Each structure stands twice: as C-alpha cells, then as structure tokens.
Amino acid sequence: MELIQNTPDLSAYLVADEAIDHDHPVVLEAAARLARAADDSYAYARLAFEFVRDTIPHSQDSGDMRVTWRASDVLEQGTGICYAKAHALAALLRAEDIPTALCYQRLAHDDGDGYAVHGMIAVRFNGAWHRQDPRGNKPGVDARFSLDGERLAFVADAKSSEVDYPVLYAEPHPAVLGALKAAPDRPYLWKTLPTAL
C-alpha cells in the first residue's frame, strides 16, 4: 500500500497542536529521559515506541474508565485508547524532530458486530514512511517497532470489509478528535467511536 501525505509539507509532521502537544513540559521531560538512553534517532524512535506500547496501558485492556486525548495527559495519567497512545508517541517523536503522521485502519469488532476506526502512527526515516502501532500487546497482539516490514497489532482483512487507510495525517482526524473530546468516560466513547473515515 502506498502511504499518502495529506499535505506535501513535511514540516507539518513536526508541528505541535492541541492533541500532539510536544511543547508541554511533561512531554519534553519524557522525551529528554528517553533521548539520554538512545545512541541515535532510530534507537530513540524504538525506545519511544516501546515506552508508549509497554508502559501506558490501553484503557480497554486495563479497565480504566478515563478518556485521554492530549499527549501530555496520556503520559501524565498513564492511560489511553489507541488514538491517545498514538498522539503520545507522535508527540515524543516530534519532540526529537522525527516527522510523525497519524494513520488509521477500519477494523471489525472482536464480536463481529460492526466496525471501529483504529489509530496508529507512521514515522519517516530514510525518505520513507513506516507505520507503527503502539496500541499495547496482549494475547493475540504482538506489535513491534520495525522499519523493515510492518509489525502492526492488526492486519486489515479486506474480505471482512476492513480497511487500511493510506492517508497520513499531520493532525488527528476530526472524527477521532471529536469522539475523544465528547466522551465523559470510556464506555460512552466505545459507543461513539468512528466506524469509518
């Protein structure tokens, strides 16, 4: 699949905004801590990915009712769904001047009843974009940081009308951000997740 930037301006994928607030002290402190342990930008990107994937539980897996959407809140509160974790990872990467996009899949619910949009990121190295999924591993999910072939949490199944959206967004998709901001808790959010983009 060819990944398509929603803007040709690569600098747009380094910008701070209300969700990817990499100018926030919480994000800057976490980025500095991770950067001290990394030899280069590749190592930093892997460490940042593993930090978000492994130390910030996916709120559905952990049973956390809170809804976070701003990167600094995800890092401070230590919880979030896929979108929020993608915002946190994008902020950590952008804080170290690594171009990072938000990207999405449309996946069937585990029970087969309907669909939901799933959020990830794409990181740019060596002139190419590489999708990464910091959702968090669990039985049946084994996402890994990889610049050599995708190791995502989920593989979209076209036969089941699942979709890999090719667009790389410089900022969160409005439908995603709107659902996160409107949700008072995770059960409410689960009922209002976007089903397609």
Side-chain angles (χ1 to χ4, degrees), residues 129-153:
W129 289 100
H130 307 272
R131 293 191 306 167
Q132 313 292 331
D133 191 343
R135 179 226 178 272
N137 290 339
K138 63 179 186 173
V141 175
D142 185 28
R144 306 265 174 191
F145 183 81
S146 176
L147 301 178
D148 183 27
E150 292 185 334
R151 297 288 308 271
L152 305 177

Side-chain angles (χ1 to χ4, degrees), residues 137-180:
N137 290 339
K138 63 179 186 173
V141 175
D142 185 28
R144 306 265 174 191
F145 183 81
S146 176
L147 301 178
D148 183 27
E150 292 185 334
R151 297 288 308 271
L152 305 177
F154 308 106
V155 176
D157 179 9
K159 292 181 205 157
S160 300
S161 298
E162 294 183 336
V163 178
D164 273 317
Y165 292 110
V167 178
L168 301 173
Y169 294 90
E171 53 195 34
H173 191 283
V176 166
L177 198 54
L180 287 168

